[in-house]
Amino acid sequence: MSKLDKRSWAEPFKIKMVELLKMTTEEQREKAIKEAGYNTFLLKSEDVYIDLLTDSGTSAMSDRQWSGMMMGDEAYAGSRNFYNLDAAMKKYYGYKYLIPTHQGRGAENILSQVMIKKGDIVPGNMYFTTTRLHQELAGGTFVDVIIDEAHDSENPHPFKGNIDLNKLEAVIKKYGANKIPYVCVAVTVNLAGGQPVSMANLKEVRKLTQKHDIKIMLDMTRIAENAYFIQQREKGYARKSIAAIVKEICSNTDGATFSGKKDALVNIGGFLVLNDKDAYEEASNLVVVYEGLHTYGGMAGRDMEAMAIGIEESVQDEHMKARVGQVLYLGEMMKKAEIPIVQPTGGHGVFIDAKKFLPHLKQDQFPAQVLAAELYADAGIRTMERGIVSAGRNAKTGDHYFPKLELVRLTIPRRVYTQAHMDVIAESVERVYERRTKIKGLKMIYEPKYLRFFQARFSKL
Ligand code: F0G
């Protein structure tokens, strides 16, 4: 190949406005993380250089989205923007009924209350924190039916989000189909490391659940990223567009909860979508109690407009290639430096295996929590613990859950950082890796009752 044959590619956008960042010294960062109780959620954002806490609500909106914000119709009822969002939802996702909510967990609350009765069982492909909590608060019990490979950070399975059909069948047999209001399928699976579900697996799950008259409810928060992996990895999908694959995923389910703060490139918003009219009517009654009228559900008109436009932008092939491409670039650099990361690299971030990074620490010394704190202290990079702290406690026994995966998530916001930022991140992780044997564990000195990872405080052992 001659030099002239090489064709690099870059992002399908140019930058029109920038946000300046504050640079800090190591001493300032040591002080800030100590004051934050070694919890990156409690840091002030202005003390952060590169913020990889989450890809949720942190995307850069396009000029089209910003101009959509100016078209907000802030009427209490029947806002024009609601109808635009409804049209985008129907065009790209194809569900019958839309109920906007303030964000994803608002939709999870309503879905759980409408569908789950006390004593019900909700099988799903690995838990997500807010999703499982709403299922539990509605009286249900979550049962994990993801394939075993998902719990092994080194396993290179291309669809680690898949559901194990034998596990699902065993749950149906054990509890009976009438105890299972729906199977909760997440695309992609956040806590497994942003791992996708294959179309073939979803269709198998559909076949099995239809046999037992059980519904499938999707957590479609990162559906376009899942569709990208299907396009890249699954036989028969290489020539299909992301948009077509997204719609095909939705067509194999009965409804979905959606956090618009991820795929849909907005800073706030979400929705519940359903195909069943009765369930929709009940959900419409509840949304008025918890969120707002059924034509805004906690969102301003302008937010609904930005989300309608963001949905369309999110399913463009060139957008998704750049979005996931940037995450894979960071993953490749980590692999070259032999940092233990979840493989394959996921759609929304790179996940470091903290048990392997800090093998001298026990899980209840919070290895992922302390690693996140160390990464902040090194270069001002803010990441998130996704391990024992996030997993919480078993409500019945009061014991910690001890998840197999003890991870630090480096989540990449969409359209926000450059390749040079990715280089700085990889260098910082390498520096901390070099001095890993000197890193000590933490003890928890304050523990909130719910979703403790947000506000827990720690001190050094
Ligand atoms: N489902 C998944 C898979 C998520 O990742 C999230 C949020 C939600 C539901 C809830 O949506 O935040 O709009 O209420 N995940 C964020 C994260 C918080 O950082 O991963 P929400």
mmCIF file of all heavy atoms in Angstrom, residues 54 56 103-105 108 128 130-131 190 219 221-222 259 261-262 384 386 409, ligand 1:
data_model
loop_
_atom_site.group_PDB
_atom_site.id
_atom_site.type_symbol
_atom_site.label_atom_id
_atom_site.label_comp_id
_atom_site.label_asym_id
_atom_site.label_seq_id
_atom_site.Cartn_x
_atom_site.Cartn_y
_atom_site.Cartn_z
ATOM 1 N N THR A 54 -19.724 10.222 33.342
ATOM 2 C CA THR A 54 -20.858 9.612 32.657
ATOM 3 C C THR A 54 -21.003 10.176 31.247
ATOM 4 O O THR A 54 -20.504 11.263 30.942
ATOM 5 C CB THR A 54 -22.160 9.854 33.450
ATOM 6 O OG1 THR A 54 -23.256 9.278 32.739
ATOM 7 C CG2 THR A 54 -22.425 11.324 33.667
ATOM 8 N N SER A 56 -24.068 10.550 30.364
ATOM 9 C CA SER A 56 -25.488 10.859 30.536
ATOM 10 C C SER A 56 -25.717 12.356 30.678
ATOM 11 O O SER A 56 -25.292 12.957 31.671
ATOM 12 C CB SER A 56 -25.997 10.134 31.779
ATOM 13 O OG SER A 56 -27.362 10.411 31.961
ATOM 14 N N GLN A 103 -36.577 12.025 32.923
ATOM 15 C CA GLN A 103 -35.413 11.271 32.427
ATOM 16 C C GLN A 103 -35.746 9.793 32.517
ATOM 17 O O GLN A 103 -36.900 9.431 32.771
ATOM 18 C CB GLN A 103 -34.133 11.658 33.164
ATOM 19 C CG GLN A 103 -34.135 11.461 34.670
ATOM 20 C CD GLN A 103 -32.852 11.986 35.311
ATOM 21 O OE1 GLN A 103 -32.685 13.183 35.468
ATOM 22 N NE2 GLN A 103 -31.939 11.087 35.671
ATOM 23 N N GLY A 104 -34.768 8.923 32.301
ATOM 24 C CA GLY A 104 -35.063 7.496 32.198
ATOM 25 C C GLY A 104 -35.723 6.908 33.429
ATOM 26 O O GLY A 104 -36.686 6.144 33.332
ATOM 27 N N ARG A 105 -35.229 7.282 34.602
ATOM 28 C CA ARG A 105 -35.758 6.658 35.820
ATOM 29 C C ARG A 105 -37.200 7.036 36.090
ATOM 30 O O ARG A 105 -37.925 6.306 36.764
ATOM 31 C CB ARG A 105 -34.837 6.944 37.006
ATOM 32 C CG ARG A 105 -34.776 8.359 37.446
ATOM 33 C CD ARG A 105 -33.546 8.615 38.294
ATOM 34 N NE ARG A 105 -32.336 8.607 37.479
ATOM 35 C CZ ARG A 105 -31.112 8.806 37.954
ATOM 36 N NH1 ARG A 105 -30.925 8.991 39.235
ATOM 37 N NH2 ARG A 105 -30.069 8.807 37.154
ATOM 38 N N GLU A 108 -38.946 4.450 34.270
ATOM 39 C CA GLU A 108 -38.818 3.164 34.964
ATOM 40 C C GLU A 108 -39.798 3.079 36.129
ATOM 41 O O GLU A 108 -40.413 2.034 36.367
ATOM 42 C CB GLU A 108 -37.386 3.001 35.504
ATOM 43 C CG GLU A 108 -36.356 2.816 34.399
ATOM 44 C CD GLU A 108 -34.921 3.017 34.884
ATOM 45 O OE1 GLU A 108 -34.716 3.330 36.084
ATOM 46 O OE2 GLU A 108 -34.008 2.869 34.060
ATOM 47 N N PHE A 128 -29.527 -2.762 36.117
ATOM 48 C CA PHE A 128 -29.020 -1.402 36.184
ATOM 49 C C PHE A 128 -29.554 -0.792 37.477
ATOM 50 O O PHE A 128 -30.673 -1.086 37.888
ATOM 51 C CB PHE A 128 -29.403 -0.542 34.968
ATOM 52 C CG PHE A 128 -28.787 0.831 35.080
ATOM 53 C CD1 PHE A 128 -27.422 0.995 34.915
ATOM 54 C CD2 PHE A 128 -29.544 1.932 35.454
ATOM 55 C CE1 PHE A 128 -26.823 2.232 35.114
ATOM 56 C CE2 PHE A 128 -28.950 3.177 35.642
ATOM 57 C CZ PHE A 128 -27.586 3.323 35.471
ATOM 58 N N THR A 130 -30.863 2.091 38.840
ATOM 59 C CA THR A 130 -32.194 2.706 39.026
ATOM 60 C C THR A 130 -33.303 1.764 38.566
ATOM 61 O O THR A 130 -34.372 1.719 39.169
ATOM 62 C CB THR A 130 -32.305 4.033 38.248
ATOM 63 O OG1 THR A 130 -32.055 3.784 36.863
ATOM 64 C CG2 THR A 130 -31.313 5.066 38.753
ATOM 65 N N THR A 131 -33.033 1.001 37.500
ATOM 66 C CA THR A 131 -34.056 0.098 36.959
ATOM 67 C C THR A 131 -34.436 -0.941 38.007
ATOM 68 O O THR A 131 -35.616 -1.169 38.284
ATOM 69 C CB THR A 131 -33.516 -0.620 35.697
ATOM 70 O OG1 THR A 131 -32.741 0.295 34.940
ATOM 71 C CG2 THR A 131 -34.627 -1.178 34.852
ATOM 72 N N ASN A 190 -25.112 -1.664 30.270
ATOM 73 C CA ASN A 190 -24.208 -0.683 30.875
ATOM 74 C C ASN A 190 -23.205 -1.346 31.816
ATOM 75 O O ASN A 190 -21.987 -1.232 31.629
ATOM 76 C CB ASN A 190 -25.081 0.346 31.622
ATOM 77 C CG ASN A 190 -24.306 1.548 32.106
ATOM 78 O OD1 ASN A 190 -23.081 1.581 32.039
ATOM 79 N ND2 ASN A 190 -25.002 2.540 32.598
ATOM 80 N N ASP A 219 -34.869 -1.659 27.747
ATOM 81 C CA ASP A 219 -34.238 -0.432 28.215
ATOM 82 C C ASP A 219 -33.408 0.034 27.020
ATOM 83 O O ASP A 219 -32.328 -0.478 26.756
ATOM 84 C CB ASP A 219 -33.361 -0.691 29.446
ATOM 85 C CG ASP A 219 -32.635 0.575 29.895
ATOM 86 O OD1 ASP A 219 -32.589 1.551 29.106
ATOM 87 O OD2 ASP A 219 -32.109 0.593 31.013
ATOM 88 N N THR A 221 -31.917 2.752 26.256
ATOM 89 C CA THR A 221 -31.099 3.930 26.516
ATOM 90 C C THR A 221 -29.923 4.114 25.545
ATOM 91 O O THR A 221 -29.618 5.211 25.138
ATOM 92 C CB THR A 221 -30.637 3.852 27.982
ATOM 93 O OG1 THR A 221 -31.791 4.033 28.782
ATOM 94 C CG2 THR A 221 -29.598 4.877 28.338
ATOM 95 N N ARG A 222 -29.259 3.019 25.175
ATOM 96 C CA ARG A 222 -28.124 3.132 24.230
ATOM 97 C C ARG A 222 -28.362 2.221 23.023
ATOM 98 O O ARG A 222 -27.481 1.482 22.589
ATOM 99 C CB ARG A 222 -26.804 2.809 24.947
ATOM 100 C CG ARG A 222 -26.459 3.808 26.051
ATOM 101 C CD ARG A 222 -25.128 3.537 26.718
ATOM 102 N NE ARG A 222 -24.859 4.463 27.806
ATOM 103 C CZ ARG A 222 -25.303 4.320 29.065
ATOM 104 N NH1 ARG A 222 -26.032 3.267 29.392
ATOM 105 N NH2 ARG A 222 -25.019 5.231 29.985
ATOM 106 N N SER A 259 -33.731 6.737 28.406
ATOM 107 C CA SER A 259 -33.093 7.938 28.924
ATOM 108 C C SER A 259 -32.532 8.686 27.728
ATOM 109 O O SER A 259 -31.550 8.261 27.129
ATOM 110 C CB SER A 259 -31.966 7.566 29.896
ATOM 111 O OG SER A 259 -31.185 8.714 30.156
ATOM 112 N N LYS A 261 -30.831 11.121 27.655
ATOM 113 C CA LYS A 261 -29.579 11.789 27.999
ATOM 114 C C LYS A 261 -28.355 11.096 27.417
ATOM 115 O O LYS A 261 -27.247 11.596 27.539
ATOM 116 C CB LYS A 261 -29.460 11.856 29.525
ATOM 117 C CG LYS A 261 -30.632 12.593 30.163
ATOM 118 C CD LYS A 261 -30.619 12.495 31.682
ATOM 119 C CE LYS A 261 -29.487 13.288 32.285
ATOM 120 N NZ LYS A 261 -29.576 13.333 33.766
ATOM 121 N N LYS A 262 -28.543 9.935 26.811
ATOM 122 C CA LYS A 262 -27.398 9.226 26.228
ATOM 123 C C LYS A 262 -27.471 9.341 24.704
ATOM 124 O O LYS A 262 -27.131 10.362 24.141
ATOM 125 C CB LYS A 262 -27.388 7.764 26.677
ATOM 126 C CG LYS A 262 -26.945 7.565 28.129
ATOM 127 C CD LYS A 262 -28.038 7.783 29.114
ATOM 128 C CE LYS A 262 -27.686 7.340 30.517
ATOM 129 N NZ LYS A 262 -28.703 7.742 31.490
ATOM 130 N N MET A 384 -15.956 6.802 37.229
ATOM 131 C CA MET A 384 -16.993 6.329 38.148
ATOM 132 C C MET A 384 -16.771 4.884 38.554
ATOM 133 O O MET A 384 -16.418 4.059 37.722
ATOM 134 C CB MET A 384 -18.356 6.427 37.452
ATOM 135 C CG MET A 384 -19.517 6.051 38.358
ATOM 136 S SD MET A 384 -21.054 5.789 37.463
ATOM 137 C CE MET A 384 -21.474 7.424 36.934
ATOM 138 N N ARG A 386 -17.992 1.272 39.298
ATOM 139 C CA ARG A 386 -19.113 0.393 38.977
ATOM 140 C C ARG A 386 -18.750 -0.977 39.524
ATOM 141 O O ARG A 386 -18.294 -1.859 38.806
ATOM 142 C CB ARG A 386 -19.387 0.324 37.477
ATOM 143 C CG ARG A 386 -19.886 1.600 36.878
ATOM 144 C CD ARG A 386 -21.396 1.775 36.900
ATOM 145 N NE ARG A 386 -21.956 2.412 38.071
ATOM 146 C CZ ARG A 386 -23.079 3.125 38.061
ATOM 147 N NH1 ARG A 386 -23.741 3.329 36.965
ATOM 148 N NH2 ARG A 386 -23.561 3.635 39.171
ATOM 149 N N ARG A 409 -15.343 2.993 35.388
ATOM 150 C CA ARG A 409 -15.859 3.311 34.060
ATOM 151 C C ARG A 409 -15.320 4.653 33.584
ATOM 152 O O ARG A 409 -15.461 5.661 34.261
ATOM 153 C CB ARG A 409 -17.387 3.352 34.139
ATOM 154 C CG ARG A 409 -18.051 3.489 32.792
ATOM 155 C CD ARG A 409 -19.538 3.516 32.933
ATOM 156 N NE ARG A 409 -20.003 4.791 33.442
ATOM 157 C CZ ARG A 409 -21.281 5.166 33.495
ATOM 158 N NH1 ARG A 409 -22.233 4.317 33.118
ATOM 159 N NH2 ARG A 409 -21.617 6.339 33.947
HETATM 160 N N1 F0G B 1 -30.851 2.609 32.004
HETATM 161 C C1 F0G B 1 -29.545 2.623 31.732
HETATM 162 C C2 F0G B 1 -28.927 1.498 30.994
HETATM 163 C C3 F0G B 1 -28.772 3.712 32.146
HETATM 164 O O1 F0G B 1 -27.476 3.727 31.868
HETATM 165 C C4 F0G B 1 -29.393 4.774 32.854
HETATM 166 C C5 F0G B 1 -28.613 5.896 33.333
HETATM 167 C C6 F0G B 1 -30.770 4.709 33.108
HETATM 168 C C7 F0G B 1 -31.466 3.611 32.657
HETATM 169 C C8 F0G B 1 -31.490 5.782 33.869
HETATM 170 O O2 F0G B 1 -31.640 6.914 33.111
HETATM 171 O O3 F0G B 1 -30.268 8.658 34.284
HETATM 172 O O4 F0G B 1 -32.011 9.277 32.617
HETATM 173 O O5 F0G B 1 -32.667 8.420 34.822
HETATM 174 N N2 F0G B 1 -27.370 5.871 33.410
HETATM 175 C C9 F0G B 1 -26.505 6.959 33.813
HETATM 176 C C10 F0G B 1 -25.075 6.484 33.751
HETATM 177 C C11 F0G B 1 -26.870 7.594 35.103
HETATM 178 O O6 F0G B 1 -24.209 7.262 34.136
HETATM 179 O O7 F0G B 1 -24.819 5.369 33.299
HETATM 180 P P1 F0G B 1 -31.647 8.388 33.740
#
